[in-house]
C-alpha cells in the first residue's frame, strides 16, 4: 500500500496527468471511476506502459471539456493504477489508489495527452501536544455531530476515524469520506501542515453541520406537512366511505370539491378567489346536515351565479335604435335624443362607462316603458327594481351573513337575475325612498350611482367587490325635489312633461288601442274608434298628464264590446263615436272648459306645479265689512300664507293709485280661499294671483276669465321667477286659457314649452305687479286724490253699474 512516506516514489517525476471533474483524491484513498475523454484514456495507457503511476488533479471549471494547464489546480495526488476495465468503446473504468501529494512543476505537453513534471510534496511532521490532542477531540465531536445529521456514512468509516491518531492522515481520511463539494476538499488537500489541515477540516465540518441542520429542519417541516396531508387524505377517504355506506352520497365534502372546481373555472381576481376557496374549505369540514353548511352552500351558490365576467354584446346601430324607439313610443324626443347620444359616444369610445340617467315626470308619461325600449334598442338585458317605499338600507346593500335569512341587496339580485354584468337596470320611483331607524337607503345608493365608486361595489352579503361600471342605470321619479341633493347630483336629469291633446290622440291610435284589442282578443275590424269619438274620450273622461286613465277607459270599452261579441251571434263591428260614449262609460266627467264663462270679481286663475303635472289653481277673494281680519283657507302652506301677506302689503302700498281707501284694512275683512280645500297647497308662485284677486275684490273690477298667471310677488311689487313653467303652461292650454302672465326672468324657459302650447297661448312677461293688473283686470281703477267715501261693497256695486265713472 502506498502512503505519503512511501520511499519508493521519487521526489521529481515525469507522469501523465489525468484531469478529473468534481473529484478530489487524497493519499491512501482507493476509488473506481469512469474515464471517457480521449486525452485521459491516452494518459492511462501511457501510465500502464511504464510504472503504472499517474498524477490525478481536479480541474477548476467543471464545464471545461478540454482543460489545459491553466485550468488545473496545482496540488493533486500521485496514484498507482490498480486495475483497468474496458467499460465501453468510448471509455474505461479505472481503479486507483492514492499514494502521496504532488504538485505540477511544469506541464511538459498537452497533446496527445497531458504530461507534467511532478514534484512530490514533503510529508511534514508535528510534535504531539495539548493543541494536537484538542484538535483531535474537536474533530471527533464534529464528525459525530455530522454523522447524526448525515446518516448516509457507512459504519466502517466511523471505525477508520476512531483508529486513526495522526492529525494529517485523519484530516485526509475524513475529508475524503464526507459529502462536501470538491472546492472545499481541494482547500484541505492544498494544506501540507497536519495541524493546520485539521483546523481547516474543523472549519469545513462546522459549516457543513450548520447547513445540514437547516436542511434537516426544512425536511422535517416538509415531512410533517406531508404526513398531515396524508392523514387528512386518509380521514377524508374514510369519511367518504362511511357516508357512502350510510347512503348519504350528497355530502359537503363532495359538494365542496365541485364548488372549488367552479370557483377556479371563473378566473376571478386573487382576493375573490381566495375568499371563495376558503369558504369551500369550510364547507369541506362541515358535518353532513349541519345548518352552517347550508348557509355556506347558499352563499357559494349565490356568488357563483353572479355574472362576474359574462356580458352581452351591445348593439350600437343608431338607425336601428331610432327605429325601435319610434316604433314603441310617440313623442319623448328629448329622451330618445339623449340615448342616441349615449350610443354614439359608446361607438367612438367603447371604454366609456357610467351613464346614469334620471327620468323625471308625472305618472303615465312612459318613463318605465321607454327604459324597456332602450334596453331592446341597445341589446342589453332589462331588469326593473322598484324602490317605492324602501326604507331599509339593507334592501340596497344586502344583509350581512351573520343574520338568519340574510340575502343580497336588490342591486346584486337584479344583476344576478339579468345574467350579464352590463344590463340596463331601471331603478323605479327613486323619489319615494323612505328613511327610518333602519338606515337611509338613499345614502346607500350613492355608491351604486357613482361611476367613480361602483367599479368595486361591495354588497354586505357577497362581501366581495363587484364591478357595476358596465351597468346602464336609469332611474325614474315624479318629483325631483324629493330626491336628496347628493343623489340628485350624481344623475343626468331629463324632464318629461305632460302630453298634449294631439299627443294623446296619436298615442291612443298608434299604441293603446292596438294593445288593448290584442289583450281582449278583439279583431281590429270588430272595434273601431272614430277620430271625434277618441277626442271626446280624451277631453270628456280624462284629465291627467299621462295616458294611464285613457288606457283604462279604452280597456273598459273593449270589455263592453267583448260582451257584445259573445252575446250577439250576429255582431259584426262597433264604432266608438261621441254620441255613444255615454252609453259605454256613463256621463261625461269633465266639462270642456272648467273656467267661468264670464269675467268675475275676486276670481283669478293661478297656475300650480304638482308631481303629476301642472294644474289650474283658482284663487278667490271676498271682501266684507269688518275690523280688518284676514282669513286664509284651502289647506295653504306656510310659504303660500306668507305670499298672501306680501300681496296685501303690496296692495296697501299703492292703495291710492288703485282707488282703494288707505284704511281698508281697518274697515274690511278679507277672506282668501283656494278651492279643493282638502288638497294641500304651498309655494310662492301664487303671489301675483293673490294680489290681482285682492285688488279686484277691493276695487270691484272683474278679472278676465281667459287669463292665468304665475309668479312670486315682493312687497315693492316686483315679480320674481318661478319653476315648472312647462307643466303650468300645459295646464293652462288644457283648460282653454288664451293668455298666461309669467315673470320676465322666465322667458328663457319658454324654449322648453311644447310648440302646440305656444301656438295657442300668448305669454306676457312682466316685471312688476302693475303690468299684471293692467293685463288681468277688465279695466284699471281710477286713482283718487282723497279717500273714497263708502265701503268696498258699495264701491263694487257702483263699479258694476257704471264702470266708466271710475276710470
Amino acid at each position: 500500500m502506498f502512503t505519503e512516506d512511501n520511499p519508493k516514489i521519487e521526489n521529481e517525476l515525469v507522469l501523465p496527468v489525468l484531469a478529473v471533474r468534481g473529484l478530489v483524491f487524497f493519499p491512501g484513498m482507493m476509488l473506481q471511476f469512469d474515464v471517457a475523454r480521449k486525452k485521459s484514456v491516452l494518459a492511462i495507457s501511457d501510465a500502464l506502459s511504464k510504472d503504472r503511476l499517474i498524477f490525478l488533479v481536479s480541474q477548476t471549471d467543471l464545464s471545461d471539456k478540454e482543460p489545459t494547464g491553466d485550468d488545473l489546480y496545482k496540488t493533486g495526488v500521485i496514484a498507482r493504477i490498480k486495475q483497468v476495465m474496458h467499460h465501453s468503446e468510448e471509455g474505461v473504468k479505472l481503479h486507483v489508489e492514492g499514494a502521496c501529494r504532488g504538485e505540477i512543476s511544469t506541464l511538459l505537453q498537452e497533446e496527445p495527452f497531458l504530461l507534467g513534471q511532478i514534484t512530490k510534496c514533503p510529508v511534514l511532521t508535528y510534535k504531539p501536544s495539548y493543541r494536537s490532542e484538542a484538535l483531535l477531540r474537536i474533530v471527533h465531536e464534529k464528525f459525530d455531530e455530522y454523522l447524526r445529521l448525515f446518516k448516509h456514512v457507512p459504519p466502517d468509516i466511523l471505525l477508520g476515524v476512531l483508529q486513526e491518531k495522526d492529525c494529517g492522515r485523519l484530516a485526509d481520511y475524513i475529508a475524503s469520506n464526507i459529502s462536501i463539494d470538491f472546492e472545499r476538499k481541494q482547500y484541505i488537500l492544498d494544506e501540507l501542515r497536519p495541524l493546520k489541515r485539521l483546523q481547516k477540516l474543523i472549519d469545513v465540518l462546522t459549516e457543513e453541520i450548520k447547513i445540514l441542520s437547516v436542511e434537516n429542519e426544512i425536511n422535517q417541516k416538509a415531512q410533517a406537512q406531508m404526513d398531515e396531508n396524508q392523514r387528512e387524505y386518509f380521514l377524508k377517504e374514510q369519511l367518504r366511505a362511511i357516508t357512502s355506506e350510510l347512503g348519504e352520497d350528497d355530502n359537503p365534502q363532495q359538494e365542496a370539491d365541485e364548488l372549488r372546481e367552479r370557483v377556479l373555472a371563473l378566473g376571478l381576481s386573487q382576493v375573490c378567489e381566495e375568499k371563495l376557496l376558503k369558504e369551500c374549505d369550510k364547507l369541506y369540514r362541515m358535518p353532513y346536515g349541519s345548518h352552517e353548511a347550508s348557509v355556506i352552500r347558499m352563499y357559494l351558490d349565490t356568488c357563483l351565479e353572479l355574472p362576474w365576467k359574462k356580458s352581452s354584446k351591445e348593439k350600437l346601430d343608431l338607425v336601428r335604435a331610432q327605429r325601435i324607439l319610434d316604433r314603441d313610443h310617440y313623442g319623448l324626443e328629448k329622451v330618445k335624443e339623449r340615448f342616441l347620444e349615449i350610443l354614439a359616444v359608446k361607438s367612438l369610445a367603447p371604454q366609456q362607462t357610467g351613464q346614469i340617467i334620471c327620468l323625471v315626470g308625472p305618472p303615465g308619461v312612459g318613463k318605465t316603458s321607454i327604459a324597456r325600449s332602450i334596453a331592446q334598442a341597445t341589446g342589453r338585458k332589462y331588469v326593473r327594481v322598484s324602490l317605492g317605499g324602501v326604507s331599509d338600507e339593507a334592501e340596497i346593500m344586502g344583509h350581512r351573513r351573520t343574520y338568519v335569512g340574510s340575502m343580497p341587496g336588490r342591486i346584486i339580485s337584479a344583476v344576478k337575475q339579468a345574467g350579464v354584468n352590463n344590463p340596463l337596470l331601471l331603478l323605479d320611483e327613486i323619489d319615494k325612498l323612505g328613511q327610518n331607524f333602519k338606515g337611509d337607503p338613499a345614502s346607500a345608493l350613492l355608491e351604486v350611482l357613482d361611476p367613480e365608486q361602483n367599479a368595486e361595489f361591495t354588497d354586505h352579503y357577497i362581501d366581495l367587490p363587484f364591478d357595476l361600471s358596465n351597468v346602464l342605470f336609469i332611474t325614474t321619479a315624479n318629483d325631483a325635489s324629493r330626491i336628496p341633493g347628493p343623489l340628485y347630483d350624481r344623475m343626468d336629469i331629463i324632464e318629461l312633461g305632460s302630453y298634449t291633446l294631439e299627443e294623446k290622440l296619436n298615442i291612443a291610435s298608434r299604441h293603446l288601442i292596438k294593445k288593448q284589442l290584442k289583450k281582449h282578443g278583439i279583431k281590429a275590424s270588430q272595434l273601431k274608434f272614430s277620430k271625434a269619438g277618441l277626442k271626446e274620450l280624451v277631453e270628456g273622461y280624462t284629465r291627467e298628464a299621462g295616458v294611464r286613465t285613457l288606457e283604462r277607459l279604452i280597456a273598459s270599452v273593449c270589455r263592453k264590446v267583448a260582451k257584445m261579441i259573445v252575446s250577439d251571434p250576429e255582431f259584426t263591428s262597433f264604432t266608438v263615436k261621441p254620441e255613444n260614449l255615454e252609453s259605454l262609460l256613463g256621463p261625461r266627467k269633465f266639462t270642456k272648459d272648467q273656467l267661468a264663462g264670464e269675467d268675475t270679481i275676486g276670481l283669478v286663475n293661478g297656475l300650480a306645479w304638482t308631481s303629476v303635472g301642472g294644474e289650474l289653481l283658482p284663487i278667490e277673494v271676498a271682501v266684507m265689512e269688518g275690523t280688518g281680519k284676514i282669513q286664509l283657507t284651502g289647506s295653504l302652506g306656510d310659504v303660500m300664507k306668507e305670499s298672501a301677506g306680501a300681496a296685501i302689503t303690496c296692495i296697501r302700498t299703492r292703495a291710492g293709485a288703485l282707488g282703494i281707501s288707505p284704511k281698508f284694512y281697518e274697515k274690511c275683512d278679507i277672506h282668501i280661499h283656494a278651492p279643493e280645500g282638502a288638497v294641500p297647497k304651498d309655494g310662492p308662485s301664487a303671489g301675483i294671483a293673490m294680489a290681482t284677486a285682492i285688488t279686484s275684490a277691493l276695487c270691484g273690477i272683474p278679472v278676465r276669465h281667459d287669463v292665468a298667471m304665475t309668479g312670486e310677488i315682493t312687497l315693492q311689487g316686483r315679480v320674481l321667477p318661478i319653476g315648472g313653467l312647462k307643466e303650468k303652461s300645459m295646464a293652462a292650454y288644457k283648460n282653454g286659457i288664451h293668455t298666461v302672465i309669467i315673470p320676465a326672468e322666465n322667458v328663457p324657459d319658454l324654449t322648453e314649452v311644447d310648440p302646440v302650447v305656444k301656438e295657442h297661448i300668448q305669454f306676457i312677461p312682466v316685471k312688476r305687479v302693475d303690468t299684471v293688473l293692467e293685463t288681468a283686470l277688465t279695466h284699471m281703477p281710477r286713482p283718487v286724490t282723497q279717500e273714497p267715501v263708502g265701503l268696498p261693497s258699495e264701491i263694487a256695486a257702483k263699479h258694476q253699474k257704471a264702470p266708466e265713472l271710475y276710470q
Side-chain angles (χ1 to χ4, degrees):
M1 176 178 179
F2 284 93
T3 59
E4 279 196 301
D5 54 353
N6 194 329
K8 293 183 180 180
I9 298 178
E10 299 177 0
N11 291 331
E12 295 291 337
L13 298 170
V14 177
L15 296 176
V17 178
L18 179 60
V20 294
R21 287 185 290 189
L23 294 175
V24 177
F25 286 90
F26 288 87
M29 180 178 177
M30 298 183 69
L31 189 66
Q32 289 184 359
F33 61 96
D34 293 328
V35 178
R37 288 187 291 203
K38 186 176 180 180
K39 280 187 178 182
S40 301
V41 173
L42 291 175
I44 295 172
S45 299
D46 185 73
L48 291 174
S49 63
K50 297 178 182 179
D51 53 3
R52 304 178 73 89
L53 292 179
I54 192 169
F55 185 69
L56 303 178
V57 63
S58 297
Q59 61 186 65
T60 57
D61 187 1
L62 298 181
S63 62
D64 195 351
K65 295 182 179 180
E66 297 293 336
T68 61
D70 296 333
D71 301 324
L72 304 176
Y73 287 105
K74 296 299 180 183
T75 305
V77 173
I78 301 172
R80 175 174 287 276
I81 299 175
K82 304 291 287 183
Q83 186 179 5
V84 176
M85 293 180 292
H86 288 279
H87 184 62
S88 66
E89 296 180 358
E90 297 180 356
V92 297
K93 180 178 288 292
L94 185 64
H95 183 196
V96 298
E97 179 183 4
C100 60
R101 283 175 171 81
E103 289 185 357
I104 300 176
S105 301
T106 307
L107 194 63
L108 301 177
Q109 68 176 39
E110 293 185 359
E111 295 295 340
F113 58 87
L114 299 177
L115 184 66
Q117 181 72 38
I118 309 300
T119 301
K120 177 183 175 182
C121 296
V123 179
L124 303 179
T125 60
Y126 66 95
K127 184 178 180 181
S129 62
Y130 294 120
R131 174 177 171 78
S132 64
E133 184 63 27
L135 289 174
L136 287 172
R137 291 183 180 182
I138 293 173
V139 166
H140 282 93
E141 291 175 1
K142 292 293 182 181
F143 188 67
D144 288 342
E145 189 174 355
Y146 174 82
L147 291 178
R148 286 196 298 271
L149 297 172
F150 189 79
K151 301 179 180 179
H152 303 292
V153 179
D156 56 335
I157 302 297
L158 178 60
L159 183 60
V161 171
L162 295 175
Q163 292 176 347
E164 186 62 64
K165 301 300 181 182
D166 183 78
C167 292
R169 288 198 297 269
L170 180 61
D172 290 345
Y173 184 74
I174 293 177
S176 63
N177 287 286
I178 61 176
S179 180
I180 56 177
D181 58 48
F182 77 96
E183 292 177 342
R184 288 193 284 178
K185 287 187 176 183
Q186 185 70 36
Y187 170 69
I188 296 174
L189 182 67
D190 290 341
E191 183 57 55
L192 301 179
R193 294 167 294 181
L195 295 182
K196 188 67 175 178
R197 191 187 311 162
L198 201 60
Q199 181 63 55
K200 287 185 176 182
L201 177 64
I202 292 172
D203 296 338
V204 170
L205 283 174
T206 302
E207 184 180 357
E208 187 66 19
I209 287 170
K210 291 180 180 179
I211 296 173
L212 288 174
S213 299
V214 175
E215 183 181 346
N216 283 350
E217 183 179 351
I218 295 173
N219 289 334
Q220 288 174 1
K221 289 182 178 179
Q223 185 64 36
Q225 182 66 35
M226 186 164 46
D227 292 343
E228 180 65 26
N229 292 338
Q230 290 176 344
R231 176 178 177 274
E232 186 176 350
Y233 173 78
F234 179 71
L235 293 175
K236 287 177 181 178
E237 291 300 321
Q238 281 187 323
L239 183 59
R240 284 194 179 122
I242 293 171
T243 54
S244 178
E245 288 295 326
L246 293 174
E248 300 173 353
D249 293 335
D250 296 333
N251 58 78
Q253 290 73 25
Q254 184 177 355
E255 281 186 292
D257 291 339
E258 295 174 356
L259 291 171
R260 174 183 286 273
E261 293 177 1
R262 292 175 60 190
V263 170
L264 294 174
L266 287 177
L268 302 179
S269 63
Q270 183 178 357
V271 175
C272 297
E273 187 174 282
E274 287 179 356
K275 183 174 179 60
L276 293 179
L277 290 177
K278 187 176 180 181
E279 294 296 326
C280 292
D281 294 338
K282 288 183 181 177
L283 179 63
Y284 197 101
R285 294 190 291 269
M286 291 293 162
Y288 178 81
S290 68
H291 172 71
E292 190 174 354
S294 63
V295 172
I296 296 175
R297 187 184 302 110
M298 184 180 298
Y299 169 76
L300 288 172
D301 286 339
T302 303
C303 292
L304 292 172
E305 289 173 4
L306 288 176
W308 295 94
K309 294 188 177 182
K310 183 180 179 182
S311 59
S312 60
K313 185 177 181 181
E314 191 172 6
K315 300 176 182 177
L316 304 176
D317 187 352
L318 268 65
V319 176
R320 174 182 176 275
Q322 180 77 60
R323 185 174 65 253
I324 292 175
L325 294 176
D326 291 339
R327 180 197 66 191
D328 295 342
H329 292 82
Y330 178 84
L332 304 178
E333 298 301 330
K334 188 185 296 185
V335 182
K336 296 176 182 177
E337 183 66 24
R338 178 68 177 84
F339 282 98
L340 289 176
E341 292 171 1
I342 291 177
L343 288 183
V345 173
K346 192 77 174 177
S347 62
L348 295 177
Q351 72 281 0
Q352 180 71 20
T353 58
Q355 299 94 357
I356 298 170
I357 309 298
C358 181
L359 305 179
V360 178
V365 295
K367 299 186 297 296
T368 304
S369 59
I370 190 69
R372 186 181 291 105
S373 296
I374 291 168
Q376 183 181 356
T378 57
R380 292 174 179 257
K381 293 292 185 66
Y382 170 80
V383 183
R384 176 179 171 271
V385 177
S386 178
L387 299 179
V390 173
S391 59
D392 187 357
E393 70 175 27
E395 292 285 329
I396 305 297
M397 301 297 292
H399 304 79
R400 298 196 180 277
R401 285 193 292 147
T402 52
Y403 299 105
V404 177
S406 58
M407 56 179 18
R410 296 196 179 195
I411 304 300
I412 289 295
S413 297
V415 175
K416 175 185 171 185
Q417 177 186 345
V420 291
N421 60 10
N422 62 338
L424 186 150
L425 201 57
L426 177 67
L427 303 180
D428 214 2
E429 310 291 354
I430 198 172
D431 58 329
K432 297 178 179 60
L433 287 169
Q435 182 177 358
N436 58 15
F437 66 94
K438 295 181 180 179
D440 183 7
S443 299
L445 279 174
L446 294 179
E447 181 184 358
V448 178
L449 300 181
D450 190 344
E452 300 298 326
Q453 300 181 40
N454 63 11
E456 294 185 350
F457 172 72
T458 302
D459 185 273
H460 289 162
Y461 180 82
I462 303 299
D463 199 23
L464 294 171
F466 190 87
D467 187 4
L468 294 178
S469 60
N470 294 320
V471 177
L472 176 58
F473 286 100
I474 299 179
T475 65
T476 69
N478 297 131
D479 186 358
S481 63
R482 296 180 61 182
I483 302 175
L487 191 58
Y488 183 92
D489 184 61
R490 282 165 166 76
M491 299 183 292
D492 188 358
I493 306 298
I494 300 178
E495 295 188 357
L496 284 70
S498 304
Y499 288 126
T500 62
L501 174 61
E502 288 76 9
E503 288 176 330
K504 288 184 179 180
L505 293 176
N506 277 287
I507 292 171
S509 60
R510 296 186 183 188
H511 302 288
L512 302 183
I513 294 176
K514 294 179 181 178
K515 177 182 176 182
Q516 292 302 323
L517 288 177
K518 183 179 180 181
K519 186 176 181 180
H520 290 82
I522 301 175
K523 298 178 181 178
S525 59
Q526 293 175 317
L527 175 59
K528 299 177 182 178
F529 285 79
S530 67
K531 189 174 182 180
L534 191 58
K535 184 177 181 181
E536 178 66 18
L537 179 64
V538 173
E539 290 183 334
Y541 292 86
T542 65
R543 185 62 56 87
E544 59 176 344
V547 291
R548 281 182 180 163
T549 303
L550 177 59
E551 185 173 7
R552 284 195 292 268
L553 291 174
I554 294 173
S556 178
V557 172
C558 289
R559 289 194 298 272
K560 298 283 194 303
V561 174
K563 183 180 177 183
M564 297 179 190
I565 295 173
V566 174
S567 59
D568 185 2
E570 298 181 358
F571 179 88
T572 56
S573 66
F574 184 85
T575 302
V576 178
K577 301 178 181 178
E579 54 267 22
N580 58 26
L581 271 178
E582 188 169 344
S583 63
L584 293 172
L585 302 174
R588 181 178 178 135
K589 297 181 180 179
F590 302 98
T591 59
K592 187 174 182 180
D593 188 1
Q594 285 187 327
L595 303 176
E598 58 183 13
D599 302 338
T600 307
I601 296 174
L603 177 60
V604 175
N605 296 316
L607 295 172
W609 178 92
T610 68
S611 60
V612 296
E615 288 186 1
L616 198 68
L617 180 65
I619 301 293
E620 295 181 347
V621 176
V623 179
M624 303 152 288
E625 297 180 10
T627 58
K629 294 181 182 179
I630 298 175
Q631 186 176 3
L632 302 172
T633 57
S635 297
L636 306 183
D638 293 338
V639 177
M640 203 164 181
K641 291 178 180 178
E642 292 173 357
S643 293
I648 293 174
T649 302
C650 176
I651 299 304
R652 287 181 61 186
T653 60
R654 56 193 70 209
L658 298 175
I660 302 172
S661 170
K663 296 184 179 180
F664 73 88
Y665 65 92
E666 296 178 353
K667 301 178 182 180
C668 306
D669 289 346
I670 299 177
H671 186 166
I672 302 174
H673 176 69
E676 297 186 18
V679 180
K681 310 168 189 70
D682 203 3
S685 62
I688 62 173
M690 290 182 177
T692 303
I694 294 169
T695 303
S696 171
L698 288 173
C699 296
I701 301 176
V703 181
R704 292 172 54 188
H705 71 282
D706 61 345
V707 174
M709 60 189 70
T710 178
E712 182 180 354
I713 194 171
T714 67
L715 299 180
Q716 297 178 353
R718 293 183 294 117
V719 180
L720 302 183
I722 47 82
L725 179 61
K726 180 180 179 182
E727 289 78 9
K728 293 176 180 179
S729 63
M730 181 65 70
Y733 166 70
K734 291 177 180 177
N735 287 276
I737 299 294
H738 298 136
T739 304
V740 174
I741 300 173
I742 63 172
E745 296 183 31
N746 282 113
V747 171
D749 297 335
L750 291 175
T751 57
E752 300 292 330
V753 176
D754 195 279
V756 177
V757 176
K758 288 191 282 189
E759 289 177 7
H760 291 81
I761 292 181
Q762 178 187 7
F763 291 93
I764 299 179
V766 297
K767 293 184 178 180
R768 302 190 67 82
V769 71
D770 306 278
T771 311
V772 176
L773 297 176
E774 292 174 1
T775 305
L777 298 178
T778 56
H779 61 270
M780 287 297 290
R782 181 179 178 182
V784 295
T785 56
Q786 60 184 5
E787 181 179 344
V789 180
L791 296 171
S793 59
E794 298 172 352
I795 296 174
K798 293 177 181 179
H799 266 283
Q800 292 175 347
K801 291 180 180 179
E804 66 278 357
L805 300 177
Y806 294 89
Q807 293 183 0

